Amino acid sequence: MAPRRGRAQGAIRRIPFAVFPVLAVVGFAAALYPAWDEAGRPVETRSIGTVRAEHDAAAAAETSMFTPGNLRPAIDAVLALSGDEVTEVYVFDRWVQVTAPTSPGASTTDEWQYRDGEATREGASLIQPEPEDVPRELFDASEIDWEDVPPLFDETERLTGIDDADDPMLWVAREVWADEKPGEPQVHVTVSDDYHDGSVDFSAGGEVVGTYGGAPGSEAAAAEGEA
C-alpha cells in the first residue's frame, strides 16, 4: 500500500475565506480588551469613543477661526472682495463676517463672509447705518494684527472662568459716540456656557480694556464686583 501523503513541514496552511470576518471581529475585540503588563496589572487602553473624540477635536481645531494661523487667511480672502476699509468684523468659530461700504465712498453697507474655505458677498446689511456715521465707523482692517487675535479668545476664557464656551464670538469695531471723536478699533470677545456669560474688551494691541460678567470667582466677576 502506498504511504499516505502528509503535509510538507513548513507548508503554508490555507485559511477558508469565511474565517476572515471572524478573525477581524476577534482582533477588534482584543484591541478594546485591557492589556496586561508583565506583573499582571491591567494596562490602560483607549476606547474607540475616545479615539473618535480626539479625532473630531483635532479636525475641529484645523478649521476653527480661533486656532492661530487660520484667521489671517480668512480675513485676507474677505478683504480681497470687500476692500480694507470696513465698519466691523465678526469672527465665529467656523466663519467670518465683514461689514463694509457697498462701494468706496458709499453710505450704505454690505456684508461679506468667509465660510467653508470660500469668501462671498452676501448682499445688503440687515441694519443700515445712518449715512453720517459710516465715515466715522470705518477703519483699515488690514492694519489689525490678526495673527495676535485668536489667543485673545483663550485669555477671555481664563478671565471669565468660562471654559469650553458655547458659540464664542469676537467682534472688532470702533467705539463711536455722538459728537465725539471715534475711538480706536477694539476687540470684543464674548463667551458663555449653560450657566454664565461674560465678555472682555481688548485694544487692537491685545491689552485688556474692560471685563464684564463671568463665572463666580473669576477675575472678570471680581473686577465687576469692585466697580
Side-chain angles (χ1 to χ4, degrees), residues 127-149:
I127 301 177
Q128 290 292 319
E130 295 296 330
E132 63 273 15
D133 288 340
V134 174
R136 304 175 68 228
E137 294 176 353
L138 288 174
F139 65 94
D140 190 339
S142 68
E143 294 183 353
I144 302 292
D145 292 327
W146 295 103
E147 297 86 351
D148 299 333
V149 169

Side-chain angles (χ1 to χ4, degrees), residues 21-62:
V22 177
L23 294 178
V25 172
V26 172
F28 182 78
L32 297 181
Y33 196 81
W36 297 78
D37 64 13
E38 295 179 357
R41 294 171 300 204
V43 178
E44 181 180 357
T45 59
R46 296 188 301 165
S47 69
I48 293 299
T50 299
V51 173
R52 181 178 292 112
E54 291 176 353
H55 176 271
D56 292 345
E62 288 182 1

Side-chain angles (χ1 to χ4, degrees), residues 116-188:
D116 298 328
E118 182 181 8
T120 57
R121 184 173 188 162
E122 297 299 302
S125 302
L126 183 61
I127 301 177
Q128 290 292 319
E130 295 296 330
E132 63 273 15
D133 288 340
V134 174
R136 304 175 68 228
E137 294 176 353
L138 288 174
F139 65 94
D140 190 339
S142 68
E143 294 183 353
I144 302 292
D145 292 327
W146 295 103
E147 297 86 351
D148 299 333
V149 169
L152 301 182
F153 166 67
D154 293 331
E155 179 66 0
T156 298
E157 285 194 323
R158 186 189 71 80
L159 290 171
T160 61
I162 299 174
D163 298 325
D164 298 323
D166 300 327
D167 300 323
M169 184 188 73
L170 187 150
W171 174 47
V172 183
R174 287 185 184 274
E175 281 195 324
V176 178
W177 302 96
D179 301 325
E180 292 184 16
K181 182 180 178 179
E184 293 299 316
Q186 289 188 356
V187 181
H188 314 269

Side-chain angles (χ1 to χ4, degrees), residues 6 19-20 26 57 61 72-73 79 89 92 94-95 99-100 103 109 121 138 143 145 165 167 173-174 205 214 219:
V19 175
F20 282 104
V26 172
R72 181 86 216 198
L79 297 185
V89 176
F92 303 91
R94 293 287 184 273
W95 56 290
T99 304
S103 59
T109 59
R121 184 173 188 162
L138 288 174
E143 294 183 353
D145 292 327
D167 300 323
R174 287 185 184 274
E219 290 187 34

